[in-house]
Amino acid sequence: MTDFKKIISHAKEYGFVFPSSEIYDGLSAVYDYGQNGVALKKNIRDYWWKAMVQLHHNIVGIDAAIFMHPTTWKASGHVDAFNDPLIDNKDSKKRYRADVLVEDYCAKIENKIEKEVNKAAKRFGEAFDPQQFKATNPRVVGYQEKIDGILKRLGKSLEAEDLADVKALIEELEIACPESGSRNWTDVKQFNLMFGTKLGASAESAMDLYLRPETAQGIFVNFLNVQKTGRMKIPFGIAQTGKAFRNEIVARQFIFRMREFEQMEMQFFVPPGSQKEWYEKWKQTRLQWHLSLGMGEENYRFHDHEKLAHYADAAADIEFKFPFGFKELEGIHSRTDFDLGSHEKYSGKKLQYFDPERNENYVPYVVETSIGLDRMFLATLSWALREEKLADGNSRTVLKLPAILAPTKVAVLPLVKKDGLPEMAQNIIDQLKWEHAVVYDEKDAVGRRYRRQDALGTPYCITVDHQSLEDQTVTLRDRDSMEQERIAVAELSSFLDAKLNPKHWLQKI
Ligand code: GAP
């Protein structure tokens, strides 16, 4: 995988992601998406929406407002419990999330495991079985036991709000401040992550609001509206994509942890008692969605939570192998009847469902799938970016994005800027643009244009040359194999449909 710094600079150089308000030196952990980034982001969102809403007869979408009545956040538990444990280093004056310091420590041990595995793979060659090696090599087993022990203790202390033990753990592991190298830590304190704001014209009448820290609550407060107007029968789901805001303390690793980000969430309402079954089902369905994009089964794993959020009776992350190690990409949570039950209590309105099969009213249980769009963007970009050595000794930078997500699907390139070739290229664009994102490029030698499109992740280039004028054929170049074939203009549409129709991708789920 490419070095993380290269990913960040590539994202900027090719118009994917810019630091926010950069002319004023940027704003920490806030980013803007450029012309290619916005297209990649939209394609990820569309791929999710199609899989979740369009392909499920019992899931519908909504778009709730970012501002919500402030009591929402009291009911959801966010006012009292949406905290991060913070610790300051007295020498560098830097503030850290205590749990992240411990997790980073574990990630370093995990790197040691990786190194042992890679070394052994070289030694044993073809017959090497990494799983067996991990399960039996005494050094690796020791490392893994250490990680498991640390994370278990961290989970327990956080669950019990035993912040003194979290500090004790940091001290016992001799974790030093990455900035100053010192171990001179303050006590661990809780810090609420919600951004406050005000609604109203005058200071006296203004109402204190929060920017939503998750989109889920917009779904819960609309549960009955959707159920009644859509005549939805349980089990059914409500999906939503939209911005969420968190005053993250350790906002770093580029767009991995941002203060303003986008979520794609789905709440699935089920009869009480069936939540475990649905939780397992959604875990698998969501993993299949990821795998359908072809970014390597070995790059995903489940992490079952030891410490459960205040609303959950089971929770797991789908983790992805980012350049800085396996980290959470998506969460699947069995949220019980906590949210609807709590909104009932705070609003005084019944949020129940009459189940004709059971002949009873109940507050439904909820299984949630929640993925960060920006985090999925980072996963895709970091997996896709490669530096490749070519047979002729040269190298190329290529973004091997899953073709279905690529911002531009086809670049049409006239070999020269004359003799009617640009006009023919434009005609081809006019044929294809109804179905696909197509660009025209006539600047520089065709080899350089190929490289430019490789770096942008464009899966196909079509070159129009003099022969094209005579026999209505063009050269079609494949980004990944770099192979070129002659194809009739009349066949382009069906070729591209076979490769880029979402149906062929989503059928794998
Ligand atoms: N409604 C449940 C919920 O919000 P979460 O685990 O806090 O759960 C869900 O967030 C997903 O949102 C995460 O798996 C991650 O992909 C994304 N996410 C959370 N905080 C983020 C942040 N500060 N920046 C970018 N993405 C974030």
Side-chain angles (χ1 to χ4, degrees):
M1 207 175 260
T2 310
D3 175 61
F4 196 42
K5 281 199 185 116
K6 280 215 182 97
I7 294 166
I8 300 171
S9 62
H10 190 91
K12 182 164 179 221
E13 188 182 342
Y14 286 91
F16 284 90
V17 183
F18 307 125
S20 160
S21 25
E22 197 184 7
I23 57 167
Y24 297 104
D25 297 331
L27 189 61
S28 162
V30 186
Y31 291 91
D32 297 340
Y33 286 86
Q35 67 280 16
N36 291 309
V38 77
L40 173 56
K41 202 172 165 197
K42 180 180 181 304
N43 292 345
I44 296 173
R45 194 190 296 109
D46 288 351
Y47 193 69
W48 181 88
W49 190 268
K50 277 202 169 78
M52 300 299 277
V53 180
Q54 192 173 327
L55 296 181
H56 285 96
H57 70 278
N58 58 350
I59 300 182
V60 292
I62 63 163
D63 182 17
I66 287 172
F67 292 137
M68 297 185 70
H69 193 284
T71 310
T72 308
W73 306 111
K74 191 74 195 148
S76 69
H78 283 81
V79 171
D80 298 317
F82 194 52
N83 300 318
D84 272 348
L86 294 190
I87 191 163
D88 293 295
N89 183 269
K90 291 182 193 164
D91 297 316
S92 67
K93 311 278 182 248
K94 285 268 170 200
R95 180 161 277 191
Y96 298 92
R97 255 177 70 176
D99 54 336
V100 172
L101 281 180
V102 176
E103 281 164 12
D104 285 353
Y105 179 90
C106 291
K108 282 188 191 142
I109 308 179
E110 206 158 286
N111 284 343
K112 288 186 187 168
I113 296 181
E114 287 270 296
K115 274 194 189 140
E116 293 289 338
V117 172
N118 291 340
K119 258 200 316 203
K122 275 194 196 133
R123 211 166 7 157
F124 294 114
E126 291 257 304
F128 182 64
D129 176 353
Q131 292 317 325
Q132 197 195 345
F133 179 77
K134 281 185 188 169
T136 52
N137 178 276
R139 191 174 297 168
V140 170
V141 170
Y143 283 147
Q144 193 57 52
E145 278 172 4
K146 185 162 186 197
I147 294 176
D148 294 345
I150 293 171
L151 292 181
K152 198 165 184 137
R153 176 161 160 204
L154 177 70
K156 262 199 187 144
S157 344
L158 290 173
E159 178 87 59
E161 296 259 339
D162 185 353
L163 300 182
D165 191 56
V166 178
K167 181 176 181 190
L169 183 59
I170 288 174
E171 286 175 338
E172 279 166 39
L173 297 174
E174 301 188 345
I175 296 175
C177 166
E179 195 89 357
S180 65
S182 103
R183 297 189 200 126
N184 194 7
W185 296 109
T186 61
D187 288 342
V188 179
K189 289 186 290 270
Q190 293 289 19
F191 175 87
N192 193 286
L193 295 182
M194 283 196 294
F195 280 108
T197 184
K198 293 204 180 284
L199 181 94
S202 69
E204 305 81 62
S205 64
M207 189 181 195
D208 286 318
L209 291 190
Y210 295 105
L211 298 183
R212 66 181 179 195
E214 62 171 10
T215 59
Q217 297 304 324
I219 293 179
F220 292 126
V221 299
N222 279 297
F223 161 71
L224 267 195
N225 283 338
V226 174
Q227 191 272 318
K228 289 212 149 70
T229 57
R231 293 180 298 138
M232 307 299 291
K233 283 206 173 76
I234 277 181
F236 77 90
I238 305 178
Q240 167 164 233
T241 70
K243 289 273 174 129
F245 304 82
R246 295 182 188 177
N247 196 359
E248 297 283 2
I249 301 315
V250 195
R252 51 172 194 167
Q253 287 163 329
F254 191 36
I255 55 172
F256 181 81
R257 200 180 299 286
M258 302 156 90
R259 299 208 159 101
E260 173 182 343
F261 58 100
E262 194 165 335
Q263 289 187 314
M264 307 191 286
E265 299 202 298
M266 192 278 299
Q267 312 295 323
F268 202 71
F269 300 93
V270 304
S274 67
Q275 71 271 21
K276 180 89 186 119
E277 190 188 317
W278 283 108
Y279 168 71
E280 294 300 337
K281 184 178 175 307
W282 278 110
K283 266 175 81 173
Q284 291 311 322
T285 307
R286 290 303 305 148
L287 181 63
Q288 289 309 315
W289 180 84
H290 288 282
L291 296 181
S292 73
L293 289 167
M295 300 202 296
E297 205 169 337
E298 68 286 0
N299 291 320
Y300 300 87
R301 71 181 188 193
F302 282 116
H303 165 72
D304 294 315
H305 285 207
E306 290 277 340
K307 178 191 183 242
L308 293 172
H310 57 273
Y311 47 72
D313 69 1
D317 298 334
I318 295 177
E319 293 188 336
F320 182 77
K321 195 171 184 189
F322 287 95
F324 36 83
F326 272 102
K327 294 274 177 204
E328 174 184 351
L329 172 58
E330 167 156 10
I332 292 100
H333 310 125
S334 172
R335 289 181 80 128
T336 68
D337 58 353
F338 172 84
D339 300 271
L340 288 180
S342 188
H343 285 305
E344 256 199 347
K345 212 161 64 203
Y346 277 86
S347 68
K349 311 267 165 34
K350 275 220 169 327
L351 294 176
Q352 301 197 358
Y353 171 78
F354 176 73
D355 189 327
E357 276 165 37
R358 293 188 178 195
N359 197 25
E360 61 174 1
N361 280 303
Y362 54 74
V363 175
Y365 273 48
V366 171
V367 174
E368 166 186 75
T369 72
S370 174
I371 173 168
L373 176 48
D374 314 83
R375 213 169 269 192
M376 181 63 198
F377 184 110
L378 180 60
T380 313
L381 193 73
S382 53
W383 177 81
L385 187 61
R386 318 277 166 90
E387 281 299 320
E388 276 187 358
K389 276 256 168 290
L390 302 178
D392 62 6
N394 287 325
S395 64
R396 68 164 181 164
T397 301
V398 55
L399 204 51
K400 292 193 165 174
L401 294 170
I404 190 76
L405 303 182
T408 301
K409 306 296 193 229
V410 184
V412 184
L413 323 171
L415 192 63
V416 289
K417 280 189 258 181
K418 56 183 185 184
D419 304 337
L421 301 189
E423 289 75 11
M424 182 168 177
Q426 197 54 57
N427 280 339
I428 292 173
I429 290 178
D430 288 343
Q431 277 175 43
L432 300 180
K433 69 183 181 190
W434 305 99
E435 303 289 340
H436 306 289
V438 191
V439 296
Y440 175 82
D441 189 3
E442 62 174 22
K443 200 169 172 290
D444 300 322
V446 80
R448 287 189 67 178
R449 282 182 265 167
Y450 285 155
R451 291 285 175 276
R452 200 152 52 226
Q453 295 303 328
D454 284 346
L456 289 166
T458 308
Y460 301 105
C461 285
I462 291 171
T463 306
V464 178
D465 56 19
H466 291 93
Q467 186 186 333
S468 309
L469 297 173
E470 286 163 22
D471 65 3
Q472 293 293 306
T473 65
V474 287
T475 302
L476 182 83
R477 175 186 180 270
D478 182 282
R479 175 196 68 195
D480 298 343
S481 66
M482 296 194 293
E483 272 169 20
Q484 303 186 12
E485 61 174 303
R486 205 77 202 172
I487 179 171
V489 172
E491 284 170 22
L492 282 172
S493 255
S494 57
F495 173 89
L496 292 173
D497 185 71
K499 301 285 185 192
L500 299 170
N501 190 323
K503 185 165 87 179
H504 307 312
W505 295 73
L506 289 164
Q507 271 170 343
K508 292 181 222 154
I509 297 176

